[in-house]
Amino acid sequence: LIRYCRWSLVNINKEMTCKQMTQRIRSPVDHKKFLASKSKVELLAFINRLNKSCFGQREAREESAVALRLITTFETIRLKVDEIPASHGRVRRFGDATFRQFCQWLVETAPELISNLT
């Protein structure tokens, strides 16, 4: 689904595969390329479909096992984001050190996070 970040969901209804993530947005030029890419369009389409599928739905009294696993995964990622302090004003030649630290954690943790969803 997010091909630009090397995170692909192949045929989401049948199987999910995970590829090693690599940082591909390293400059303003790369960011502009992503903003014009098919991956950005697909990501926003996915988010919009997810939003529309939830809009107007009453809150379920009993959460499904899938929803709970998804919430747990997002919570794990959110806690890690809160754990890594932002580096304001520290411009580096090869990008933000804290962002690289988060990306490294995500690369190492992604297989476990994905396996928890299935």
Side-chain angles (χ1 to χ4, degrees):
L1 182 65
I2 307 172
R3 286 190 207 110
Y4 201 78
C5 295
R6 295 273 185 184
W7 190 270
S8 66
L9 298 177
V10 179
N11 199 351
I12 198 163
N13 293 326
K14 293 185 180 177
E15 72 178 81
M16 221 170 18
T17 61
C18 179
K19 295 180 182 178
Q20 174 103 11
M21 287 181 50
T22 57
Q23 183 179 353
R24 307 248 329 248
I25 300 175
R26 297 179 183 269
S27 69
V29 172
D30 293 339
H31 185 246
K32 285 182 182 180
K33 189 191 305 184
F34 170 72
L35 291 176
S37 72
K38 183 178 177 184
S39 297
K40 180 218 170 206
V41 172
E42 290 176 350
L43 176 60
L44 289 178
F46 170 74
I47 292 169
N48 283 325
R49 283 192 307 270
L50 184 60
N51 182 49
K52 287 178 184 176
S53 71
C54 297
F55 186 76
Q57 299 291 321
R58 291 179 29 170
E59 186 176 323
R61 294 186 188 267
E62 293 182 28
E63 294 87 6
S64 71
V66 174
L68 288 175
R69 289 193 303 261
L70 189 58
I71 290 167
T72 301
T73 300
F74 285 137
E75 184 65 14
T76 301
I77 294 169
R78 187 192 67 76
L79 289 172
K80 189 63 177 182
V81 167
D82 291 345
E83 181 181 310
I84 299 174
S87 59
H88 299 291
R90 291 186 282 170
V91 177
R92 303 279 191 235
R93 182 175 178 187
F94 297 105
D96 186 349
T98 56
F99 182 73
R100 288 196 311 267
Q101 180 184 357
F102 174 75
C103 286
Q104 182 61 39
W105 173 84
L106 196 55
V107 165
E108 294 167 358
T109 313
E112 179 186 342
L113 293 173
I114 295 294
S115 70
N116 291 338
L117 294 174
T118 58

